[in-house]
PDB file of all heavy atoms in Angstrom:
ATOM      1  N   ASN T  10       0.808  -1.162  -0.053  1.00 90.00           N
ATOM      2  CA  ASN T  10       0.041  -0.062   0.095  1.00 90.00           C
ATOM      3  C   ASN T  10       0.883   1.181   0.018  1.00 90.00           C
ATOM      4  O   ASN T  10       1.535   1.518   0.991  1.00 90.00           O
ATOM      5  CB  ASN T  10      -0.873   0.079   1.217  1.00 90.00           C
ATOM      6  CG  ASN T  10      -1.981   1.145   1.153  1.00 90.00           C
ATOM      7  OD1 ASN T  10      -2.169   1.644   0.174  1.00 90.00           O
ATOM      8  ND2 ASN T  10      -2.585   1.482   2.303  1.00 90.00           N
ATOM      9  N   PRO T  11       0.878   1.978  -1.089  1.00 92.00           N
ATOM     10  CA  PRO T  11       0.185   1.791  -2.388  1.00 92.00           C
ATOM     11  C   PRO T  11       0.470   0.456  -3.191  1.00 92.00           C
ATOM     12  O   PRO T  11       1.570  -0.098  -2.934  1.00 92.00           O
ATOM     13  CB  PRO T  11       0.645   3.076  -3.235  1.00 92.00           C
ATOM     14  CG  PRO T  11       1.294   3.981  -2.248  1.00 92.00           C
ATOM     15  CD  PRO T  11       1.898   3.180  -1.164  1.00 92.00           C
ATOM     16  N   THR T  12      -0.392   0.140  -3.979  1.00 91.00           N
ATOM     17  CA  THR T  12      -0.321  -1.064  -4.815  1.00 91.00           C
ATOM     18  C   THR T  12      -0.460  -0.737  -6.285  1.00 91.00           C
ATOM     19  O   THR T  12      -1.282   0.171  -6.641  1.00 91.00           O
ATOM     20  CB  THR T  12      -1.276  -2.234  -4.416  1.00 91.00           C
ATOM     21  OG1 THR T  12      -1.101  -3.227  -5.275  1.00 91.00           O
ATOM     22  CG2 THR T  12      -2.707  -1.700  -4.610  1.00 91.00           C
ATOM     23  N   LYS T  13       0.159  -1.505  -7.122  1.00 91.00           N
ATOM     24  CA  LYS T  13      -0.050  -1.267  -8.589  1.00 91.00           C
ATOM     25  C   LYS T  13      -1.013  -2.173  -9.178  1.00 91.00           C
ATOM     26  O   LYS T  13      -1.205  -2.159 -10.349  1.00 91.00           O
ATOM     27  CB  LYS T  13       1.322  -1.465  -9.291  1.00 91.00           C
ATOM     28  CG  LYS T  13       2.343  -0.376  -9.007  1.00 91.00           C
ATOM     29  CD  LYS T  13       3.656  -0.541  -9.713  1.00 91.00           C
ATOM     30  CE  LYS T  13       4.685   0.631  -9.394  1.00 91.00           C
ATOM     31  NZ  LYS T  13       5.931   0.487 -10.152  1.00 91.00           N
ATOM     32  N   GLY T  14      -1.582  -3.070  -8.346  1.00 91.00           N
ATOM     33  CA  GLY T  14      -2.616  -3.924  -8.819  1.00 91.00           C
ATOM     34  C   GLY T  14      -3.005  -5.192  -7.950  1.00 91.00           C
ATOM     35  O   GLY T  14      -3.968  -5.237  -7.493  1.00 91.00           O
ATOM     36  N   VAL T  15      -1.981  -5.944  -7.669  1.00 93.00           N
ATOM     37  CA  VAL T  15      -2.173  -7.092  -6.883  1.00 93.00           C
ATOM     38  C   VAL T  15      -2.004  -6.732  -5.395  1.00 93.00           C
ATOM     39  O   VAL T  15      -1.093  -6.138  -4.982  1.00 93.00           O
ATOM     40  CB  VAL T  15      -1.104  -8.127  -7.210  1.00 93.00           C
ATOM     41  CG1 VAL T  15      -1.361  -9.508  -6.218  1.00 93.00           C
ATOM     42  CG2 VAL T  15      -1.286  -8.634  -8.599  1.00 93.00           C
ATOM     43  N   LEU T  16      -3.134  -7.005  -4.602  1.00 93.00           N
ATOM     44  CA  LEU T  16      -3.209  -6.622  -3.205  1.00 93.00           C
ATOM     45  C   LEU T  16      -3.308  -8.007  -2.382  1.00 93.00           C
ATOM     46  O   LEU T  16      -4.005  -8.832  -2.806  1.00 93.00           O
ATOM     47  CB  LEU T  16      -4.442  -5.821  -2.977  1.00 93.00           C
ATOM     48  CG  LEU T  16      -4.646  -5.242  -1.536  1.00 93.00           C
ATOM     49  CD1 LEU T  16      -3.632  -4.184  -1.278  1.00 93.00           C
ATOM     50  CD2 LEU T  16      -6.097  -4.775  -1.554  1.00 93.00           C
ATOM     51  N   LYS T  17      -2.566  -7.981  -1.261  1.00 92.00           N
ATOM     52  CA  LYS T  17      -2.671  -9.173  -0.383  1.00 92.00           C
ATOM     53  C   LYS T  17      -3.235  -8.674   0.940  1.00 92.00           C
ATOM     54  O   LYS T  17      -2.978  -7.596   1.410  1.00 92.00           O
ATOM     55  CB  LYS T  17      -1.278  -9.718  -0.157  1.00 92.00           C
ATOM     56  CG  LYS T  17      -0.668 -10.271  -1.484  1.00 92.00           C
ATOM     57  CD  LYS T  17       0.703 -10.899  -1.188  1.00 92.00           C
ATOM     58  CE  LYS T  17       1.278 -11.519  -2.421  1.00 92.00           C
ATOM     59  NZ  LYS T  17       0.483 -12.609  -2.946  1.00 92.00           N
ATOM     60  N   VAL T  18      -4.060  -9.525   1.493  1.00 91.00           N
ATOM     61  CA  VAL T  18      -4.703  -9.313   2.774  1.00 91.00           C
ATOM     62  C   VAL T  18      -4.337 -10.395   3.694  1.00 91.00           C
ATOM     63  O   VAL T  18      -4.692 -11.613   3.584  1.00 91.00           O
ATOM     64  CB  VAL T  18      -6.342  -9.243   2.737  1.00 91.00           C
ATOM     65  CG1 VAL T  18      -6.881  -9.057   3.989  1.00 91.00           C
ATOM     66  CG2 VAL T  18      -6.759  -8.125   1.688  1.00 91.00           C
ATOM     67  N   LYS T  19      -3.461 -10.162   4.616  1.00 89.00           N
ATOM     68  CA  LYS T  19      -3.091 -11.096   5.701  1.00 89.00           C
ATOM     69  C   LYS T  19      -3.744 -10.935   6.999  1.00 89.00           C
ATOM     70  O   LYS T  19      -3.865  -9.950   7.517  1.00 89.00           O
ATOM     71  CB  LYS T  19      -1.547 -10.936   6.028  1.00 89.00           C
ATOM     72  CG  LYS T  19      -0.881 -11.940   6.832  1.00 89.00           C
ATOM     73  CD  LYS T  19       0.561 -11.656   7.026  1.00 89.00           C
ATOM     74  CE  LYS T  19       1.187 -12.739   7.908  1.00 89.00           C
ATOM     75  NZ  LYS T  19       1.018 -14.029   7.374  1.00 89.00           N
ATOM     76  N   VAL T  20      -4.481 -12.058   7.286  1.00 82.00           N
ATOM     77  CA  VAL T  20      -5.486 -12.015   8.320  1.00 82.00           C
ATOM     78  C   VAL T  20      -5.098 -12.590   9.581  1.00 82.00           C
ATOM     79  O   VAL T  20      -5.573 -12.565  10.665  1.00 82.00           O
ATOM     80  CB  VAL T  20      -6.768 -12.598   7.934  1.00 82.00           C
ATOM     81  CG1 VAL T  20      -7.444 -11.919   6.803  1.00 82.00           C
ATOM     82  CG2 VAL T  20      -6.699 -14.105   7.443  1.00 82.00           C
ATOM     83  N   GLY T  21      -3.871 -13.395   9.589  1.00 74.00           N
ATOM     84  CA  GLY T  21      -3.281 -14.006  10.711  1.00 74.00           C
ATOM     85  C   GLY T  21      -4.169 -14.974  11.427  1.00 74.00           C
ATOM     86  O   GLY T  21      -4.738 -15.926  10.864  1.00 74.00           O
ATOM     87  N   LYS T  22      -4.325 -14.780  12.722  1.00 67.00           N
ATOM     88  CA  LYS T  22      -5.161 -15.694  13.577  1.00 67.00           C
ATOM     89  C   LYS T  22      -6.666 -15.774  13.053  1.00 67.00           C
ATOM     90  O   LYS T  22      -7.294 -16.737  13.267  1.00 67.00           O
ATOM     91  CB  LYS T  22      -5.145 -15.205  15.005  1.00 67.00           C
ATOM     92  CG  LYS T  22      -3.867 -15.282  15.683  1.00 67.00           C
ATOM     93  CD  LYS T  22      -3.891 -14.900  17.031  1.00 67.00           C
ATOM     94  CE  LYS T  22      -2.472 -14.899  17.684  1.00 67.00           C
ATOM     95  NZ  LYS T  22      -2.496 -14.370  19.113  1.00 67.00           N
ATOM     96  N   ALA T  23      -7.136 -14.653  12.414  1.00 57.00           N
ATOM     97  CA  ALA T  23      -8.530 -14.657  11.898  1.00 57.00           C
ATOM     98  C   ALA T  23      -8.693 -15.567  10.749  1.00 57.00           C
ATOM     99  O   ALA T  23      -9.766 -15.897  10.279  1.00 57.00           O
ATOM    100  CB  ALA T  23      -8.939 -13.224  11.543  1.00 57.00           C
ATOM    101  N   GLY T  24      -7.686 -16.219  10.320  1.00 56.00           N
ATOM    102  CA  GLY T  24      -7.693 -17.126   9.145  1.00 56.00           C
ATOM    103  C   GLY T  24      -8.535 -18.303   9.411  1.00 56.00           C
ATOM    104  O   GLY T  24      -9.022 -19.041   8.512  1.00 56.00           O
ATOM    105  N   SER T  25      -8.760 -18.660  10.615  1.00 66.00           N
ATOM    106  CA  SER T  25      -9.486 -19.829  11.016  1.00 66.00           C
ATOM    107  C   SER T  25     -10.914 -19.631  10.929  1.00 66.00           C
ATOM    108  O   SER T  25     -11.797 -20.454  10.943  1.00 66.00           O
ATOM    109  CB  SER T  25      -9.014 -20.415  12.378  1.00 66.00           C
ATOM    110  OG  SER T  25      -9.298 -19.284  13.412  1.00 66.00           O
ATOM    111  N   ASP T  26     -11.402 -18.253  10.932  1.00 76.00           N
ATOM    112  CA  ASP T  26     -12.770 -17.861  10.933  1.00 76.00           C
ATOM    113  C   ASP T  26     -13.205 -17.708   9.523  1.00 76.00           C
ATOM    114  O   ASP T  26     -12.412 -17.492   8.591  1.00 76.00           O
ATOM    115  CB  ASP T  26     -13.070 -16.614  11.595  1.00 76.00           C
ATOM    116  CG  ASP T  26     -12.595 -16.601  13.107  1.00 76.00           C
ATOM    117  OD1 ASP T  26     -12.747 -17.750  13.573  1.00 76.00           O
ATOM    118  OD2 ASP T  26     -12.175 -15.642  13.593  1.00 76.00           O
ATOM    119  N   GLU T  27     -14.453 -17.812   9.189  1.00 86.00           N
ATOM    120  CA  GLU T  27     -14.982 -17.473   7.887  1.00 86.00           C
ATOM    121  C   GLU T  27     -15.173 -15.869   7.754  1.00 86.00           C
ATOM    122  O   GLU T  27     -15.899 -15.311   8.565  1.00 86.00           O
ATOM    123  CB  GLU T  27     -16.363 -18.130   7.611  1.00 86.00           C
ATOM    124  CG  GLU T  27     -16.934 -17.795   6.259  1.00 86.00           C
ATOM    125  CD  GLU T  27     -18.286 -18.601   5.849  1.00 86.00           C
ATOM    126  OE1 GLU T  27     -18.076 -19.815   5.472  1.00 86.00           O
ATOM    127  OE2 GLU T  27     -19.259 -17.996   6.057  1.00 86.00           O
ATOM    128  N   LEU T  28     -14.508 -15.424   6.705  1.00 89.00           N
ATOM    129  CA  LEU T  28     -14.421 -14.030   6.573  1.00 89.00           C
ATOM    130  C   LEU T  28     -15.186 -13.572   5.177  1.00 89.00           C
ATOM    131  O   LEU T  28     -15.009 -14.329   4.222  1.00 89.00           O
ATOM    132  CB  LEU T  28     -13.016 -13.417   6.545  1.00 89.00           C
ATOM    133  CG  LEU T  28     -12.088 -13.738   7.730  1.00 89.00           C
ATOM    134  CD1 LEU T  28     -10.695 -13.369   7.473  1.00 89.00           C
ATOM    135  CD2 LEU T  28     -12.675 -13.163   9.006  1.00 89.00           C
ATOM    136  N   GLU T  29     -15.703 -12.287   5.215  1.00 90.00           N
ATOM    137  CA  GLU T  29     -16.172 -11.733   3.998  1.00 90.00           C
ATOM    138  C   GLU T  29     -15.274 -10.604   3.705  1.00 90.00           C
ATOM    139  O   GLU T  29     -15.294  -9.617   4.439  1.00 90.00           O
ATOM    140  CB  GLU T  29     -17.616 -11.320   4.036  1.00 90.00           C
ATOM    141  CG  GLU T  29     -18.165 -10.745   2.743  1.00 90.00           C
ATOM    142  CD  GLU T  29     -19.572 -10.222   2.884  1.00 90.00           C
ATOM    143  OE1 GLU T  29     -20.525 -10.933   2.690  1.00 90.00           O
ATOM    144  OE2 GLU T  29     -19.698  -8.933   3.176  1.00 90.00           O
ATOM    145  N   ILE T  30     -14.530 -10.667   2.632  1.00 91.00           N
ATOM    146  CA  ILE T  30     -13.494  -9.547   2.395  1.00 91.00           C
ATOM    147  C   ILE T  30     -14.179  -8.912   1.004  1.00 91.00           C
ATOM    148  O   ILE T  30     -14.298  -9.486  -0.011  1.00 91.00           O
ATOM    149  CB  ILE T  30     -12.149 -10.102   2.107  1.00 91.00           C
ATOM    150  CG1 ILE T  30     -11.565 -10.768   3.300  1.00 91.00           C
ATOM    151  CG2 ILE T  30     -11.240  -8.898   1.708  1.00 91.00           C
ATOM    152  CD1 ILE T  30     -10.162 -11.357   3.113  1.00 91.00           C
ATOM    153  N   SER T  31     -14.445  -7.675   1.237  1.00 91.00           N
ATOM    154  CA  SER T  31     -15.017  -6.761   0.048  1.00 91.00           C
ATOM    155  C   SER T  31     -14.095  -5.649  -0.180  1.00 91.00           C
ATOM    156  O   SER T  31     -13.480  -5.059   0.715  1.00 91.00           O
ATOM    157  CB  SER T  31     -16.359  -6.313   0.356  1.00 91.00           C
ATOM    158  OG  SER T  31     -17.240  -7.520   0.685  1.00 91.00           O
ATOM    159  N   ILE T  32     -14.078  -5.133  -1.352  1.00 91.00           N
ATOM    160  CA  ILE T  32     -13.258  -3.881  -1.844  1.00 91.00           C
ATOM    161  C   ILE T  32     -14.253  -2.947  -2.435  1.00 91.00           C
ATOM    162  O   ILE T  32     -15.057  -3.438  -3.312  1.00 91.00           O
ATOM    163  CB  ILE T  32     -12.134  -4.330  -2.771  1.00 91.00           C
ATOM    164  CG1 ILE T  32     -11.186  -5.301  -2.031  1.00 91.00           C
ATOM    165  CG2 ILE T  32     -11.406  -2.988  -3.243  1.00 91.00           C
ATOM    166  CD1 ILE T  32      -9.985  -5.707  -2.915  1.00 91.00           C
ATOM    167  N   PHE T  33     -14.267  -1.728  -1.954  1.00 87.00           N
ATOM    168  CA  PHE T  33     -15.100  -0.640  -2.368  1.00 87.00           C
ATOM    169  C   PHE T  33     -14.255   0.480  -2.969  1.00 87.00           C
ATOM    170  O   PHE T  33     -13.167   0.822  -2.549  1.00 87.00           O
ATOM    171  CB  PHE T  33     -15.913  -0.078  -1.304  1.00 87.00           C
ATOM    172  CG  PHE T  33     -16.799  -1.091  -0.549  1.00 87.00           C
ATOM    173  CD1 PHE T  33     -16.409  -2.013   0.291  1.00 87.00           C
ATOM    174  CD2 PHE T  33     -18.169  -1.083  -0.950  1.00 87.00           C
ATOM    175  CE1 PHE T  33     -17.169  -2.963   0.854  1.00 87.00           C
ATOM    176  CE2 PHE T  33     -18.996  -2.034  -0.298  1.00 87.00           C
ATOM    177  CZ  PHE T  33     -18.496  -3.009   0.715  1.00 87.00           C
ATOM    178  N   ASP T  34     -14.811   1.297  -3.953  1.00 85.00           N
ATOM    179  CA  ASP T  34     -14.142   2.383  -4.490  1.00 85.00           C
ATOM    180  C   ASP T  34     -14.489   3.600  -3.583  1.00 85.00           C
ATOM    181  O   ASP T  34     -15.277   3.397  -2.659  1.00 85.00           O
ATOM    182  CB  ASP T  34     -14.450   2.679  -6.043  1.00 85.00           C
ATOM    183  CG  ASP T  34     -15.869   3.016  -6.163  1.00 85.00           C
ATOM    184  OD1 ASP T  34     -16.639   3.257  -5.360  1.00 85.00           O
ATOM    185  OD2 ASP T  34     -16.298   2.975  -7.384  1.00 85.00           O
ATOM    186  N   ILE T  35     -13.870   4.730  -3.949  1.00 79.00           N
ATOM    187  CA  ILE T  35     -14.068   5.879  -3.047  1.00 79.00           C
ATOM    188  C   ILE T  35     -15.564   6.314  -2.949  1.00 79.00           C
ATOM    189  O   ILE T  35     -15.954   7.023  -1.951  1.00 79.00           O
ATOM    190  CB  ILE T  35     -13.202   7.160  -3.538  1.00 79.00           C
ATOM    191  CG1 ILE T  35     -13.158   8.143  -2.559  1.00 79.00           C
ATOM    192  CG2 ILE T  35     -13.677   7.630  -4.894  1.00 79.00           C
ATOM    193  CD1 ILE T  35     -12.430   7.818  -1.303  1.00 79.00           C
ATOM    194  N   SER T  36     -16.364   5.986  -3.810  1.00 76.00           N
ATOM    195  CA  SER T  36     -17.789   6.438  -3.876  1.00 76.00           C
ATOM    196  C   SER T  36     -18.665   5.397  -3.057  1.00 76.00           C
ATOM    197  O   SER T  36     -19.854   5.726  -2.817  1.00 76.00           O
ATOM    198  CB  SER T  36     -18.363   6.393  -5.368  1.00 76.00           C
ATOM    199  OG  SER T  36     -18.472   5.120  -5.833  1.00 76.00           O
ATOM    200  N   GLY T  37     -18.132   4.371  -2.667  1.00 77.00           N
ATOM    201  CA  GLY T  37     -18.816   3.266  -1.780  1.00 77.00           C
ATOM    202  C   GLY T  37     -19.373   2.145  -2.791  1.00 77.00           C
ATOM    203  O   GLY T  37     -20.007   1.296  -2.162  1.00 77.00           O
ATOM    204  N   LYS T  38     -19.095   2.090  -3.945  1.00 82.00           N
ATOM    205  CA  LYS T  38     -19.464   1.154  -4.931  1.00 82.00           C
ATOM    206  C   LYS T  38     -18.641  -0.125  -4.604  1.00 82.00           C
ATOM    207  O   LYS T  38     -17.313  -0.161  -4.575  1.00 82.00           O
ATOM    208  CB  LYS T  38     -19.342   1.506  -6.381  1.00 82.00           C
ATOM    209  CG  LYS T  38     -19.645   0.402  -7.401  1.00 82.00           C
ATOM    210  CD  LYS T  38     -19.401   0.950  -8.761  1.00 82.00           C
ATOM    211  CE  LYS T  38     -19.904  -0.226  -9.720  1.00 82.00           C
ATOM    212  NZ  LYS T  38     -19.450   0.250 -11.157  1.00 82.00           N
ATOM    213  N   LYS T  39     -19.180  -1.312  -4.564  1.00 86.00           N
ATOM    214  CA  LYS T  39     -18.551  -2.555  -4.234  1.00 86.00           C
ATOM    215  C   LYS T  39     -17.888  -3.102  -5.510  1.00 86.00           C
ATOM    216  O   LYS T  39     -18.617  -3.333  -6.502  1.00 86.00           O
ATOM    217  CB  LYS T  39     -19.509  -3.599  -3.610  1.00 86.00           C
ATOM    218  CG  LYS T  39     -18.794  -4.873  -3.172  1.00 86.00           C
ATOM    219  CD  LYS T  39     -19.883  -5.986  -2.701  1.00 86.00           C
ATOM    220  CE  LYS T  39     -20.334  -5.439  -1.466  1.00 86.00           C
ATOM    221  NZ  LYS T  39     -21.237  -6.535  -0.797  1.00 86.00           N
ATOM    222  N   ILE T  40     -16.645  -3.217  -5.507  1.00 89.00           N
ATOM    223  CA  ILE T  40     -15.826  -3.702  -6.640  1.00 89.00           C
ATOM    224  C   ILE T  40     -15.835  -5.202  -6.852  1.00 89.00           C
ATOM    225  O   ILE T  40     -16.053  -5.767  -7.858  1.00 89.00           O
ATOM    226  CB  ILE T  40     -14.436  -3.134  -6.798  1.00 89.00           C
ATOM    227  CG1 ILE T  40     -14.401  -1.508  -6.708  1.00 89.00           C
ATOM    228  CG2 ILE T  40     -13.634  -3.538  -7.927  1.00 89.00           C
ATOM    229  CD1 ILE T  40     -15.208  -0.862  -7.903  1.00 89.00           C
ATOM    230  N   LEU T  41     -15.669  -5.740  -5.650  1.00 91.00           N
ATOM    231  CA  LEU T  41     -15.623  -7.271  -5.578  1.00 91.00           C
ATOM    232  C   LEU T  41     -15.826  -7.756  -4.155  1.00 91.00           C
ATOM    233  O   LEU T  41     -15.661  -6.979  -3.268  1.00 91.00           O
ATOM    234  CB  LEU T  41     -14.305  -7.868  -6.220  1.00 91.00           C
ATOM    235  CG  LEU T  41     -13.014  -7.428  -5.564  1.00 91.00           C
ATOM    236  CD1 LEU T  41     -12.570  -8.356  -4.312  1.00 91.00           C
ATOM    237  CD2 LEU T  41     -11.879  -7.516  -6.616  1.00 91.00           C
ATOM    238  N   THR T  42     -16.301  -8.973  -4.116  1.00 92.00           N
ATOM    239  CA  THR T  42     -16.340  -9.544  -2.640  1.00 92.00           C
ATOM    240  C   THR T  42     -16.096 -11.052  -2.783  1.00 92.00           C
ATOM    241  O   THR T  42     -16.330 -11.607  -3.672  1.00 92.00           O
ATOM    242  CB  THR T  42     -17.837  -9.315  -2.090  1.00 92.00           C
ATOM    243  OG1 THR T  42     -17.802  -9.744  -0.756  1.00 92.00           O
ATOM    244  CG2 THR T  42     -18.914 -10.098  -2.890  1.00 92.00           C
ATOM    245  N   ARG T  43     -15.593 -11.513  -1.625  1.00 92.00           N
ATOM    246  CA  ARG T  43     -15.222 -12.970  -1.499  1.00 92.00           C
ATOM    247  C   ARG T  43     -15.364 -13.459  -0.167  1.00 92.00           C
ATOM    248  O   ARG T  43     -15.037 -12.845   0.724  1.00 92.00           O
ATOM    249  CB  ARG T  43     -13.725 -13.181  -2.048  1.00 92.00           C
ATOM    250  CG  ARG T  43     -13.220 -14.642  -2.169  1.00 92.00           C
ATOM    251  CD  ARG T  43     -11.806 -14.691  -2.395  1.00 92.00           C
ATOM    252  NE  ARG T  43     -11.337 -13.843  -3.599  1.00 92.00           N
ATOM    253  CZ  ARG T  43     -10.075 -13.750  -3.863  1.00 92.00           C
ATOM    254  NH1 ARG T  43      -9.098 -14.289  -3.024  1.00 92.00           N
ATOM    255  NH2 ARG T  43      -9.684 -13.007  -4.820  1.00 92.00           N
ATOM    256  N   THR T  44     -15.813 -14.745  -0.034  1.00 92.00           N
ATOM    257  CA  THR T  44     -15.946 -15.461   1.239  1.00 92.00           C
ATOM    258  C   THR T  44     -14.721 -16.165   1.399  1.00 92.00           C
ATOM    259  O   THR T  44     -14.381 -16.996   0.438  1.00 92.00           O
ATOM    260  CB  THR T  44     -17.247 -16.259   1.384  1.00 92.00           C
ATOM    261  OG1 THR T  44     -18.396 -15.441   1.192  1.00 92.00           O
ATOM    262  CG2 THR T  44     -17.305 -16.930   2.546  1.00 92.00           C
ATOM    263  N   CYS T  45     -13.969 -15.957   2.452  1.00 89.00           N
ATOM    264  CA  CYS T  45     -12.577 -16.570   2.698  1.00 89.00           C
ATOM    265  C   CYS T  45     -12.651 -17.400   3.977  1.00 89.00           C
ATOM    266  O   CYS T  45     -13.207 -16.956   5.081  1.00 89.00           O
ATOM    267  CB  CYS T  45     -11.518 -15.469   2.638  1.00 89.00           C
ATOM    268  SG  CYS T  45     -11.584 -14.489   1.221  1.00 89.00           S
ATOM    269  N   SER T  46     -11.910 -18.504   4.067  1.00 87.00           N
ATOM    270  CA  SER T  46     -11.671 -19.255   5.276  1.00 87.00           C
ATOM    271  C   SER T  46     -10.571 -20.192   5.030  1.00 87.00           C
ATOM    272  O   SER T  46     -10.319 -20.655   3.857  1.00 87.00           O
ATOM    273  CB  SER T  46     -12.890 -20.049   5.669  1.00 87.00           C
ATOM    274  OG  SER T  46     -13.377 -20.943   4.686  1.00 87.00           O
ATOM    275  N   GLY T  47      -9.861 -20.539   6.083  1.00 85.00           N
ATOM    276  CA  GLY T  47      -8.824 -21.616   6.074  1.00 85.00           C
ATOM    277  C   GLY T  47      -7.479 -21.298   5.742  1.00 85.00           C
ATOM    278  O   GLY T  47      -6.540 -22.057   5.715  1.00 85.00           O
ATOM    279  N   GLN T  48      -7.285 -19.989   5.379  1.00 87.00           N
ATOM    280  CA  GLN T  48      -5.948 -19.395   5.097  1.00 87.00           C
ATOM    281  C   GLN T  48      -5.716 -18.245   5.887  1.00 87.00           C
ATOM    282  O   GLN T  48      -6.542 -17.574   6.461  1.00 87.00           O
ATOM    283  CB  GLN T  48      -5.725 -19.125   3.548  1.00 87.00           C
ATOM    284  CG  GLN T  48      -6.081 -20.243   2.625  1.00 87.00           C
ATOM    285  CD  GLN T  48      -5.979 -19.813   1.200  1.00 87.00           C
ATOM    286  OE1 GLN T  48      -5.121 -19.013   0.808  1.00 87.00           O
ATOM    287  NE2 GLN T  48      -6.883 -20.363   0.264  1.00 87.00           N
TER     288      GLN T  48
END
């Protein structure tokens, strides 16, 4: 951060939980969303 494109989200201990990771632009529009768990 800043990034040129590929972004990594390291969640550490929270990796054992089911997470919803979403990315929004500055206007609040959701660009993408993913349900993540196990990593």
Side-chain angles (χ1 to χ4, degrees):
N10 188 15
T12 179
K13 292 184 178 181
V15 176
L16 182 73
K17 295 183 181 294
V18 179
K19 187 175 180 63
V20 296
K22 295 178 182 179
S25 59
D26 300 331
E27 183 173 277
L28 305 173
E29 181 184 272
I30 302 178
S31 303
I32 300 179
F33 299 81
D34 67 13
I35 193 66
S36 73
K38 178 183 177 182
K39 185 182 290 186
I40 301 301
L41 57 86
T42 188
R43 186 190 305 171
T44 300
C45 305
S46 63
Q48 302 179 38

